[in-house]
Amino acid sequence: MKKFILGLSCGLILAGSSVAFASDTIQALLFPASFEINGSQVKLNSDYQILNVDGHAYVPVRFVAENLGATIDYDSEAQKIVVKNKSLDIKDPDYASISVGNLILTKAGNTTKVTGQLKFEGVGNSQNMIGAGLSFYNEDNEKIGEAAISGNNFGVDTQTFVTEGEGDFKNYDAVYLHIGAVNHRIILDVPSMIYHNSQYRFTLHVPSSWEGKYEVEEQRDEASEFVNYLFINKANKAFGGVLFSISIWTKEDWLANGPTTKGIGQVYKLGEDENHVFLLFPPGDVEYNPHDEELAAEFLSMADQISTIRRSFKFE
């Protein structure tokens, strides 16, 4: 064999696609090969075949991808095969033992198909019922779609799921996970309290567990008209303690400098009124005492709630 080339997952020809070759015909032979993936022998089932074309082996990429623990799907609009095999980094901050990731979104008529993976830490080899939801937002912090996750076979081994939601939200900016039920036990929403900004007339829902642990400092630059509200973890204030900041810009400043700002670091648009754009900035540096486990744990636990707080932003 000259080299080993990954072929197409569903055969050599995908529905609706066109293939061009230098010659009029393809001389292909079935290639009797077995698979060893990460040290384990894996059988190729009857749905797949390996072909030998001019000394090159064409193997089913879906079979290989799934046995490597990846998600895979075909995007017919873009005419490409998408494979994802990264760490699962989408979590509900109120149920951190469950993580989701490797999402692939494809258009399916009037719906969006969502292929992804879920892992439930700390449950051994047991099979667990999970009911959850994924919410998808655009760059203006507006919800553009949602999809439900449900099943009875989730556990510590990563499990692939397929779901769908109404509309087209394939080009989302942010996605959030909410765990609604585990083993038929309803997971109640964490109680919250309202932060009210009377000057700019907006509110945020802050977890009740933050009570007495945070303060808000205002920073104002009269020359540039920038206003920042720093949400600070009081226990770590000596080290900065900034959990996040709400920054209020004029629309002119956002149009002029927003693209550059987004290219430098994380910034999330919360909304806009007639004259201003409201932005959320996560901390850009370590803002807690890394040598004190208790203080670090308090800060990081509070910081995990930022995504939930971001979604709660509302004008009065």
Side-chain angles (χ1 to χ4, degrees), residues 144-163:
I144 56 174
E146 54 188 1
I149 303 172
S150 62
N152 298 300
N153 60 340
F154 295 109
V156 70
D157 293 325
T158 300
Q159 178 68 35
T160 298
F161 64 84
V162 178
T163 182

PDB file of all heavy atoms in Angstrom, residues 144-163:
ATOM      1  N   ILE A 144     -32.120  32.140  19.548  1.00  0.00           N
ATOM      2  CA  ILE A 144     -32.540  31.863  18.176  1.00  0.00           C
ATOM      3  C   ILE A 144     -32.947  30.405  17.982  1.00  0.00           C
ATOM      4  O   ILE A 144     -33.454  30.045  16.902  1.00  0.00           O
ATOM      5  CB  ILE A 144     -31.427  32.225  17.179  1.00  0.00           C
ATOM      6  CG1 ILE A 144     -30.118  31.496  17.520  1.00  0.00           C
ATOM      7  CG2 ILE A 144     -31.203  33.726  17.142  1.00  0.00           C
ATOM      8  CD1 ILE A 144     -29.020  31.703  16.487  1.00  0.00           C
ATOM      9  N   GLY A 145     -32.756  29.576  18.995  1.00  0.00           N
ATOM     10  CA  GLY A 145     -33.155  28.187  18.856  1.00  0.00           C
ATOM     11  C   GLY A 145     -32.920  27.392  20.121  1.00  0.00           C
ATOM     12  O   GLY A 145     -32.178  27.818  21.009  1.00  0.00           O
ATOM     13  N   GLU A 146     -33.565  26.253  20.191  1.00  0.00           N
ATOM     14  CA  GLU A 146     -33.358  25.345  21.322  1.00  0.00           C
ATOM     15  C   GLU A 146     -33.622  23.921  20.884  1.00  0.00           C
ATOM     16  O   GLU A 146     -34.370  23.675  19.922  1.00  0.00           O
ATOM     17  CB  GLU A 146     -34.260  25.738  22.501  1.00  0.00           C
ATOM     18  CG  GLU A 146     -35.730  25.845  22.178  1.00  0.00           C
ATOM     19  CD  GLU A 146     -36.533  26.421  23.322  1.00  0.00           C
ATOM     20  OE1 GLU A 146     -35.926  26.756  24.359  1.00  0.00           O
ATOM     21  OE2 GLU A 146     -37.759  26.516  23.199  1.00  0.00           O
ATOM     22  N   ALA A 147     -32.984  22.989  21.580  1.00  0.00           N
ATOM     23  CA  ALA A 147     -33.124  21.573  21.265  1.00  0.00           C
ATOM     24  C   ALA A 147     -33.077  20.774  22.553  1.00  0.00           C
ATOM     25  O   ALA A 147     -32.297  21.089  23.461  1.00  0.00           O
ATOM     26  CB  ALA A 147     -32.016  21.117  20.311  1.00  0.00           C
ATOM     27  N   ALA A 148     -33.917  19.757  22.635  1.00  0.00           N
ATOM     28  CA  ALA A 148     -34.003  18.934  23.843  1.00  0.00           C
ATOM     29  C   ALA A 148     -33.088  17.721  23.734  1.00  0.00           C
ATOM     30  O   ALA A 148     -32.878  17.167  22.650  1.00  0.00           O
ATOM     31  CB  ALA A 148     -35.433  18.485  24.065  1.00  0.00           C
ATOM     32  N   ILE A 149     -32.538  17.326  24.873  1.00  0.00           N
ATOM     33  CA  ILE A 149     -31.755  16.095  24.980  1.00  0.00           C
ATOM     34  C   ILE A 149     -32.486  15.181  25.956  1.00  0.00           C
ATOM     35  O   ILE A 149     -32.798  15.599  27.079  1.00  0.00           O
ATOM     36  CB  ILE A 149     -30.333  16.362  25.507  1.00  0.00           C
ATOM     37  CG1 ILE A 149     -29.595  17.365  24.626  1.00  0.00           C
ATOM     38  CG2 ILE A 149     -29.545  15.058  25.602  1.00  0.00           C
ATOM     39  CD1 ILE A 149     -28.264  17.812  25.218  1.00  0.00           C
ATOM     40  N   SER A 150     -32.757  13.968  25.549  1.00  0.00           N
ATOM     41  CA  SER A 150     -33.407  13.029  26.460  1.00  0.00           C
ATOM     42  C   SER A 150     -32.963  11.612  26.131  1.00  0.00           C
ATOM     43  O   SER A 150     -32.695  11.280  24.979  1.00  0.00           O
ATOM     44  CB  SER A 150     -34.932  13.134  26.378  1.00  0.00           C
ATOM     45  OG  SER A 150     -35.380  12.805  25.080  1.00  0.00           O
ATOM     46  N   GLY A 151     -32.873  10.785  27.167  1.00  0.00           N
ATOM     47  CA  GLY A 151     -32.470   9.398  26.970  1.00  0.00           C
ATOM     48  C   GLY A 151     -32.250   8.705  28.288  1.00  0.00           C
ATOM     49  O   GLY A 151     -32.185   9.339  29.349  1.00  0.00           O
ATOM     50  N   ASN A 152     -32.125   7.384  28.217  1.00  0.00           N
ATOM     51  CA  ASN A 152     -31.958   6.570  29.421  1.00  0.00           C
ATOM     52  C   ASN A 152     -30.632   5.818  29.459  1.00  0.00           C
ATOM     53  O   ASN A 152     -30.440   4.964  30.313  1.00  0.00           O
ATOM     54  CB  ASN A 152     -33.108   5.546  29.513  1.00  0.00           C
ATOM     55  CG  ASN A 152     -34.457   6.205  29.636  1.00  0.00           C
ATOM     56  OD1 ASN A 152     -34.716   6.946  30.574  1.00  0.00           O
ATOM     57  ND2 ASN A 152     -35.334   5.931  28.666  1.00  0.00           N
ATOM     58  N   ASN A 153     -29.724   6.161  28.539  1.00  0.00           N
ATOM     59  CA  ASN A 153     -28.497   5.369  28.428  1.00  0.00           C
ATOM     60  C   ASN A 153     -27.244   6.213  28.635  1.00  0.00           C
ATOM     61  O   ASN A 153     -26.182   5.885  28.110  1.00  0.00           O
ATOM     62  CB  ASN A 153     -28.436   4.696  27.055  1.00  0.00           C
ATOM     63  CG  ASN A 153     -28.455   5.700  25.906  1.00  0.00           C
ATOM     64  OD1 ASN A 153     -28.870   6.842  26.090  1.00  0.00           O
ATOM     65  ND2 ASN A 153     -28.014   5.269  24.741  1.00  0.00           N
ATOM     66  N   PHE A 154     -27.339   7.298  29.401  1.00  0.00           N
ATOM     67  CA  PHE A 154     -26.187   8.162  29.619  1.00  0.00           C
ATOM     68  C   PHE A 154     -25.418   7.720  30.862  1.00  0.00           C
ATOM     69  O   PHE A 154     -26.003   7.299  31.861  1.00  0.00           O
ATOM     70  CB  PHE A 154     -26.631   9.615  29.776  1.00  0.00           C
ATOM     71  CG  PHE A 154     -27.243  10.180  28.532  1.00  0.00           C
ATOM     72  CD1 PHE A 154     -28.608  10.449  28.462  1.00  0.00           C
ATOM     73  CD2 PHE A 154     -26.469  10.431  27.404  1.00  0.00           C
ATOM     74  CE1 PHE A 154     -29.179  10.964  27.322  1.00  0.00           C
ATOM     75  CE2 PHE A 154     -27.031  10.946  26.245  1.00  0.00           C
ATOM     76  CZ  PHE A 154     -28.395  11.216  26.206  1.00  0.00           C
ATOM     77  N   GLY A 155     -24.082   7.861  30.772  1.00  0.00           N
ATOM     78  CA  GLY A 155     -23.251   7.478  31.902  1.00  0.00           C
ATOM     79  C   GLY A 155     -21.866   8.070  31.791  1.00  0.00           C
ATOM     80  O   GLY A 155     -21.646   9.069  31.102  1.00  0.00           O
ATOM     81  N   VAL A 156     -20.909   7.428  32.447  1.00  0.00           N
ATOM     82  CA  VAL A 156     -19.559   7.962  32.510  1.00  0.00           C
ATOM     83  C   VAL A 156     -18.833   7.832  31.170  1.00  0.00           C
ATOM     84  O   VAL A 156     -17.883   8.574  30.898  1.00  0.00           O
ATOM     85  CB  VAL A 156     -18.761   7.264  33.632  1.00  0.00           C
ATOM     86  CG1 VAL A 156     -18.459   5.811  33.260  1.00  0.00           C
ATOM     87  CG2 VAL A 156     -17.502   8.023  33.974  1.00  0.00           C
ATOM     88  N   ASP A 157     -19.285   6.907  30.319  1.00  0.00           N
ATOM     89  CA  ASP A 157     -18.736   6.806  28.972  1.00  0.00           C
ATOM     90  C   ASP A 157     -19.471   7.789  28.069  1.00  0.00           C
ATOM     91  O   ASP A 157     -20.708   7.871  28.088  1.00  0.00           O
ATOM     92  CB  ASP A 157     -18.888   5.387  28.427  1.00  0.00           C
ATOM     93  CG  ASP A 157     -18.035   4.379  29.181  1.00  0.00           C
ATOM     94  OD1 ASP A 157     -16.925   4.756  29.599  1.00  0.00           O
ATOM     95  OD2 ASP A 157     -18.494   3.239  29.376  1.00  0.00           O
ATOM     96  N   THR A 158     -18.712   8.511  27.265  1.00  0.00           N
ATOM     97  CA  THR A 158     -19.296   9.514  26.378  1.00  0.00           C
ATOM     98  C   THR A 158     -20.307   8.869  25.431  1.00  0.00           C
ATOM     99  O   THR A 158     -20.014   7.869  24.784  1.00  0.00           O
ATOM    100  CB  THR A 158     -18.191  10.207  25.571  1.00  0.00           C
ATOM    101  OG1 THR A 158     -17.282  10.839  26.471  1.00  0.00           O
ATOM    102  CG2 THR A 158     -18.779  11.260  24.648  1.00  0.00           C
ATOM    103  N   GLN A 159     -21.503   9.451  25.382  1.00  0.00           N
ATOM    104  CA  GLN A 159     -22.586   8.917  24.563  1.00  0.00           C
ATOM    105  C   GLN A 159     -23.015   9.952  23.527  1.00  0.00           C
ATOM    106  O   GLN A 159     -23.236  11.116  23.853  1.00  0.00           O
ATOM    107  CB  GLN A 159     -23.789   8.552  25.445  1.00  0.00           C
ATOM    108  CG  GLN A 159     -24.996   8.018  24.702  1.00  0.00           C
ATOM    109  CD  GLN A 159     -24.740   6.644  24.094  1.00  0.00           C
ATOM    110  OE1 GLN A 159     -24.032   5.822  24.662  1.00  0.00           O
ATOM    111  NE2 GLN A 159     -25.302   6.403  22.923  1.00  0.00           N
ATOM    112  N   THR A 160     -23.132   9.525  22.267  1.00  0.00           N
ATOM    113  CA  THR A 160     -23.586  10.422  21.211  1.00  0.00           C
ATOM    114  C   THR A 160     -25.103  10.525  21.221  1.00  0.00           C
ATOM    115  O   THR A 160     -25.804   9.529  21.442  1.00  0.00           O
ATOM    116  CB  THR A 160     -23.119   9.918  19.837  1.00  0.00           C
ATOM    117  OG1 THR A 160     -21.683   9.903  19.800  1.00  0.00           O
ATOM    118  CG2 THR A 160     -23.626  10.816  18.708  1.00  0.00           C
ATOM    119  N   PHE A 161     -25.618  11.725  20.996  1.00  0.00           N
ATOM    120  CA  PHE A 161     -27.066  11.939  20.889  1.00  0.00           C
ATOM    121  C   PHE A 161     -27.350  12.731  19.614  1.00  0.00           C
ATOM    122  O   PHE A 161     -26.496  13.437  19.086  1.00  0.00           O
ATOM    123  CB  PHE A 161     -27.613  12.693  22.110  1.00  0.00           C
ATOM    124  CG  PHE A 161     -27.071  14.090  22.271  1.00  0.00           C
ATOM    125  CD1 PHE A 161     -27.634  15.174  21.583  1.00  0.00           C
ATOM    126  CD2 PHE A 161     -25.990  14.335  23.106  1.00  0.00           C
ATOM    127  CE1 PHE A 161     -27.119  16.456  21.722  1.00  0.00           C
ATOM    128  CE2 PHE A 161     -25.475  15.619  23.256  1.00  0.00           C
ATOM    129  CZ  PHE A 161     -26.042  16.682  22.554  1.00  0.00           C
ATOM    130  N   VAL A 162     -28.568  12.588  19.123  1.00  0.00           N
ATOM    131  CA  VAL A 162     -29.035  13.350  17.968  1.00  0.00           C
ATOM    132  C   VAL A 162     -30.399  13.927  18.314  1.00  0.00           C
ATOM    133  O   VAL A 162     -31.288  13.214  18.787  1.00  0.00           O
ATOM    134  CB  VAL A 162     -29.147  12.468  16.708  1.00  0.00           C
ATOM    135  CG1 VAL A 162     -29.675  13.292  15.535  1.00  0.00           C
ATOM    136  CG2 VAL A 162     -27.796  11.866  16.352  1.00  0.00           C
ATOM    137  N   THR A 163     -30.563  15.217  18.114  1.00  0.00           N
ATOM    138  CA  THR A 163     -31.827  15.880  18.388  1.00  0.00           C
ATOM    139  C   THR A 163     -32.035  16.959  17.334  1.00  0.00           C
ATOM    140  O   THR A 163     -31.251  17.085  16.399  1.00  0.00           O
ATOM    141  CB  THR A 163     -31.837  16.461  19.811  1.00  0.00           C
ATOM    142  OG1 THR A 163     -33.115  17.059  20.078  1.00  0.00           O
ATOM    143  CG2 THR A 163     -30.751  17.507  19.998  1.00  0.00           C
TER     144      THR A 163
END
